[in-house]
Amino acid sequence: QVQLVESGGGLVQAGGSLRLSCEASAIIFSIYDMGWYRQVPGKERELVASITSGGSTNYADSAKGRFTISRDNAKNTVYLQMSSLKPEDTALYYCNAKRTNRNLRTYDYWGQGTQVTVSS
């Protein structure tokens, strides 16, 4: 059982920046692959960025060059540094934790989300 708590969302003007944080309750946080997703009304949740337990990162095309995902295993925390924000980045951002056990069963955990609103 993993609980995730996001923070750092808010209102920012276009061109500004925000840093989202997600703290996990997992005892062995380092074994989880982590990700940030976002969702707007009427659309499906989409992956923004992910980082594996080994540190490999992946970004949505819309986030490349502007967003950076990182993790601090000592703090059980994953971050999403967002720069050059655009109004289209406005969404509810969710933190995700995932791991696959020896039987190849995947365990998925989600936070409650933090709202990011970018004004023009």
Side-chain angles (χ1 to χ4, degrees), residues 31-108:
I31 69 175
Y32 289 86
D33 295 333
M34 304 296 296
W36 285 98
Y37 292 72
R38 67 187 181 191
Q39 187 170 27
V40 298
K43 294 186 178 181
E44 293 187 351
R45 192 172 300 183
E46 65 173 355
L47 174 70
V48 178
S50 64
I51 183 167
T52 68
S53 60
S56 298
T57 59
N58 184 56
Y59 297 91
D61 288 340
S62 61
K64 291 180 179 177
R66 299 188 300 125
F67 294 2
T68 301
I69 188 170
S70 62
R71 64 192 298 160
D72 186 339
N73 290 337
K75 295 183 178 180
N76 278 24
T77 302
V78 63
Y79 305 94
L80 184 67
Q81 178 66 51
M82 304 186 294
S83 301
S84 301
L85 284 164
K86 306 173 181 179
E88 50 263 47
D89 293 319
T90 295
L92 188 63
Y93 284 71
Y94 295 92
C95 180
N96 170 261
K98 182 186 302 181
R99 71 176 297 266
T100 302
N101 69 9
R102 64 172 61 187
N103 298 126
L104 301 184
R105 178 179 178 179
T106 298
Y107 294 85
D108 236 341

